[in-house]
Amino acid sequence: MDKTNHVLKQIEQQYGMSKDQRNISYAGLRAVLHGLRDRLTVEEAAELGAQLPMLIRGIYYEGWAPTRAPVKMDREEFLARVQREFRFRPDGGTELLVQRVLQALRDHITEGEWEDVKSSVPRDLASVLP
């Protein structure tokens, strides 16, 4: 619970939000995780999921259909997917939202796994990932 709250708090701080806006930081976390998870191969998605804090892992796997993975998305399609799932207008745009959410998660993901994630998506999409 503490790790999840810490990640959400980091997202909120980057946007200057109060804890009362937790639903917005949660929605951003969920949208980014689902977009990334669906773009990865089943194996890579599982390897990334294994490193996430327990509650965030539950959010990550919610509604996952591994038989449909990976969903081929370039940078623009990925950002559009995140924006569709995120009901709010992120300050600075969707790309900044993706970067801020993933940066908040970086403490929980090894450097090697993060490099694997980045190398398994198209180069134009990898450029969005911190």
Side-chain angles (χ1 to χ4, degrees), residues 54-102:
M54 185 174 60
L55 292 177
I56 294 175
R57 191 176 318 132
I59 296 165
Y60 178 74
Y61 284 116
E62 175 191 13
W64 189 36
T67 58
R68 295 189 303 220
V71 176
K72 301 296 183 190
M73 291 181 269
D74 64 17
R75 179 183 177 279
E76 293 307 315
E77 292 165 327
F78 174 80
L79 294 173
R81 157 76 190 271
V82 170
Q83 185 57 59
R84 275 192 311 275
E85 194 166 330
F86 184 65
R87 305 178 315 241
F88 306 93
R89 297 292 288 161
D91 290 345
T94 306
E95 185 172 332
L96 186 58
L97 171 71
V98 169
Q99 291 170 343
R100 287 178 170 176
V101 166
L102 294 177

